[in-house]
Amino acid sequence: MKHKKKVVLLMLYRGSQEVDAILPLIYKLSKEFTIFTYFKSQKTFNSLKSNTNLFKLWKKVSKNYYVESKLDNFFWKVLRKISSFFLNENNSIVNFLNFKIHGYDFLKKKIYNNINIESFKIDILFSESGVNSGWVASLKKNKDRPFIVHYMPSPFIQWKSKLNKEYRAKWKLSGDILLLSSKEESYRWRNYIQNSRIKICGILKYDKWWLKKNIYKSTIDFNYKNLIKNNFLITIAYSSYFDLYPLKKETLKKQLQDIMNCVLSFPNIIIVFKVHPAINSNHFLKILAKYDKKRWIISKSHIINLSAISSCLITHNITSTQLDAIVQKIPSIELWPVAPLDHNYSAYTDLGLSIRAKNEKNLKKLIKMATLNNQNSIWKKQQSNFKKIYSQDNRSNERALKVINEGYNKLCNSNFKIF
């Protein structure tokens, strides 16, 4: 079989979160390009593999992949480590070592060895916005460089209203464009990259054609069909902070106990915990073990899938998973903040995309409203506010392809049409 000679390189640093955000666009591009995925670590690969739905969809479009080893370019990494003690990070020697570590020839060799394309060019590179990537800097300086696309690993609004202060960027995004979901997200990123390079496209994974492809209720990792006959399911997108904030263990423990006591006071509710893949201390399991095991479940299924079978979603207040609930037309409730990462301010409540429970008593009231009156004006307001902020015309991927096509042609001085 003759492979395409045009290559899209998907550079992954976190894993499932990045793939969840960008995969619909990669799926579209796979019709014209050979897709190759580069994982920055085994942990990154394992993160994607743990999400069964995404992993299967990704395998269908990525021709092959490579997982970076700690021994790759080890000699140059050691030299850079030593140099960093004595030299400024912008020193020419440090820059030289960075380019050795992130060598273009090294990358092309890995692609060739894994997909056996003799003559090819890396045409487009996808690299998420939250990482100061040495690969982006290296590939951009190559004379045969790709068109570089930055994107958010999730639609995340952080700087808004009274907290919308000038944000000091720790680095500059040196890619050609940055794809964002809404104007509300641009406040944080305008000091990272020129405003003209910020492209508002919408949330790629919420286009209807992709939702139909991604939502397989039959792939949910527990038998939900019998459960929902006589019960309400409530999904909690939970971040287990216990190892991250050991001094807060008692506070975190009390919050989890309050949540369990509140939700389980309803006799016909079963809790589904979807634990954050990167904030997942097992300590919370010791607390859950004290409660009736028939009343709670740990799931690794996609939040969108779980929202499709749940009566409401409960989250921490700085996570965009709340939007996964709204797109499935179920209520979204935030927990009261206790951990340092759970800021007192929430852009989602400020924008009317979520409602925060003040305490256990208030949470009980909101759950009752969500299960018995999900057409309440509070929940309808969430839906209408969502539509105001995020385009729901199912053309998010089309817009993204258009700006990539324009930028790619400008860089290559060609008239190649991606779609």
Side-chain angles (χ1 to χ4, degrees):
M1 180 179 177
K2 187 176 180 180
H3 300 306
K4 302 181 185 74
K5 294 183 180 181
K6 290 183 174 293
V7 172
V8 167
L9 177 61
L10 178 59
M11 186 72 64
L12 297 180
Y13 308 90
R14 306 175 199 266
S16 61
Q17 189 179 17
E18 295 161 293
V19 173
D20 190 29
I22 204 66
L23 191 55
L25 189 57
I26 298 298
Y27 178 88
K28 289 282 189 181
L29 289 168
S30 69
K31 300 181 186 305
E32 294 292 341
F33 294 84
T34 296
I35 310 298
F36 186 81
T37 309
Y38 187 99
F39 293 89
K40 280 292 292 176
S41 68
Q42 186 65 44
K43 183 178 180 181
T44 306
F45 178 78
N46 292 342
S47 169
L48 177 56
K49 193 174 182 180
S50 68
N51 190 313
T52 307
N53 290 12
L54 282 176
F55 189 72
K56 287 180 179 178
L57 289 167
W58 163 79
K59 282 193 76 174
K60 288 180 179 179
V61 298
S62 187
K63 189 64 182 176
N64 212 333
Y65 64 93
Y66 178 73
V67 180
E68 185 177 304
S69 165
K70 291 181 180 179
L71 296 178
D72 286 337
N73 297 313
F74 183 74
F75 173 74
W76 300 113
K77 289 176 181 177
V78 172
L79 284 182
R80 185 181 64 175
K81 187 76 172 178
I82 295 171
S83 300
S84 63
F85 283 107
F86 305 102
L87 302 172
N88 185 283
E89 63 178 10
N90 293 321
N91 183 276
S92 59
I93 295 175
V94 176
N95 286 332
F96 169 79
L97 294 172
N98 280 331
F99 287 119
K100 281 292 184 181
I101 293 169
H102 304 98
Y104 188 61
D105 290 340
F106 167 83
L107 200 54
K108 290 192 74 172
K109 184 178 180 181
K110 295 303 178 187
I111 296 174
Y112 170 77
N113 288 342
N114 285 280
I115 57 178
N116 197 26
I117 296 178
E118 292 185 7
S119 177
F120 67 92
K121 176 181 179 293
I122 301 174
D123 291 274
I124 303 173
L125 167 68
F126 284 90
S127 178
E128 69 125 299
S129 56
V131 176
N132 186 14
S133 172
W135 286 111
V136 171
S138 176
L139 294 183
K140 189 174 182 180
K141 288 186 177 295
N142 193 282
K143 62 180 181 180
D144 198 25
R145 81 173 185 87
F147 183 71
I148 301 170
V149 181
H150 293 296
Y151 64 96
M152 288 283 287
S154 60
F156 183 59
I157 304 172
Q158 186 173 3
W159 307 100
K160 175 68 181 172
S161 187
K162 56 190 175 185
L163 286 190
N164 183 22
K165 301 175 182 176
E166 286 298 314
Y167 188 77
R168 293 186 179 181
K170 296 178 181 178
W171 66 83
K172 294 293 181 182
L173 289 173
S174 55
D176 297 293
I177 59 172
L178 168 62
L179 302 180
L180 292 181
S181 302
S182 73
K183 289 182 180 179
E184 309 298 339
E185 294 176 13
S186 65
Y187 297 109
R188 180 180 183 183
W189 297 102
R190 61 190 176 188
N191 289 332
Y192 280 85
I193 193 170
Q194 298 98 312
N195 193 57
S196 61
R197 295 187 179 189
I198 295 176
K199 308 297 180 182
I200 309 300
C201 297
I203 303 177
L204 304 175
K205 67 178 182 177
Y206 290 166
D207 279 0
K208 283 186 178 179
W209 67 270
W210 184 251
L211 283 175
K212 289 179 181 178
K213 183 178 289 294
N214 189 33
I215 298 173
Y216 298 110
K217 294 181 183 178
S218 60
T219 64
I220 288 177
D221 54 7
F222 59 91
N223 186 359
Y224 69 92
K225 291 182 179 179
N226 289 331
L227 292 176
I228 61 175
K229 288 179 180 178
N230 301 307
N231 300 283
F232 293 106
L233 294 186
I234 289 183
T235 294
I236 300 179
Y238 187 71
S239 295
S240 185
Y241 291 117
F242 292 95
D243 291 343
L244 195 59
Y245 302 112
L247 297 179
K248 285 264 186 181
K249 269 191 175 180
E250 288 304 311
T251 306
L252 295 168
K253 177 182 177 181
K254 184 180 186 307
Q255 184 191 47
L256 183 54
Q257 288 174 332
D258 286 345
I259 294 167
M260 296 298 289
N261 293 335
C262 168
V263 181
L264 297 185
S265 67
F266 296 90
N268 59 339
I269 289 181
I270 293 175
I271 305 172
V272 181
F273 280 94
K274 168 68 175 178
V275 184
H276 194 295
I279 311 174
N280 55 1
S281 166
N282 285 330
H283 186 76
F284 85 105
L285 292 173
K286 297 179 181 178
I287 299 169
L288 294 187
K290 297 178 182 179
Y291 295 88
D292 185 352
K293 292 182 180 180
K294 294 180 181 179
R295 301 289 308 278
W296 57 270
I297 297 165
I298 306 294
S299 175
K300 291 185 178 180
S301 298
H302 199 293
I303 282 286
I304 288 181
N305 293 30
L306 294 174
S307 295
I309 61 170
S310 298
S311 296
C312 77
L313 178 70
I314 298 174
T315 74
H316 296 273
N317 64 5
I318 59 169
T319 173
S320 64
T321 54
Q322 298 170 79
L323 304 181
D324 288 351
I326 296 176
V327 80
Q328 293 288 30
K329 295 181 169 49
I330 66 168
S332 169
I333 302 170
E334 288 182 8
L335 293 168
W336 57 97
V338 293
L341 279 180
D342 287 345
H343 309 304
N344 285 319
Y345 169 77
S346 167
Y348 296 101
T349 53
D350 190 19
L351 292 168
L353 294 170
S354 188
I355 185 167
R356 180 184 294 183
K358 299 174 183 178
N359 48 42
E360 179 185 352
K361 183 178 179 180
N362 187 224
L363 177 61
K364 187 172 183 178
K365 177 183 176 182
L366 292 172
I367 290 173
K368 187 175 182 179
M369 288 171 56
T371 54
L372 300 181
N373 188 13
N374 61 7
Q375 295 302 308
N376 187 285
S377 60
I378 292 177
W379 314 126
K380 286 185 176 182
K381 193 68 174 176
Q382 287 184 355
Q383 296 292 326
S384 62
N385 289 333
F386 177 74
K387 290 176 182 177
K388 289 177 185 176
I389 297 168
Y390 296 100
S391 171
Q392 286 295 282
D393 60 2
N394 298 302
R395 295 179 60 242
S396 298
N397 287 274
E398 184 181 328
R399 281 190 289 273
L401 285 170
K402 183 177 180 180
V403 297
I404 291 171
N405 191 78
E406 291 171 351
Y408 175 82
N409 283 329
K410 186 176 180 180
L411 176 68
C412 302
N413 193 27
S414 71
N415 291 310
F416 178 76
K417 289 188 177 180
I418 294 173
F419 64 99

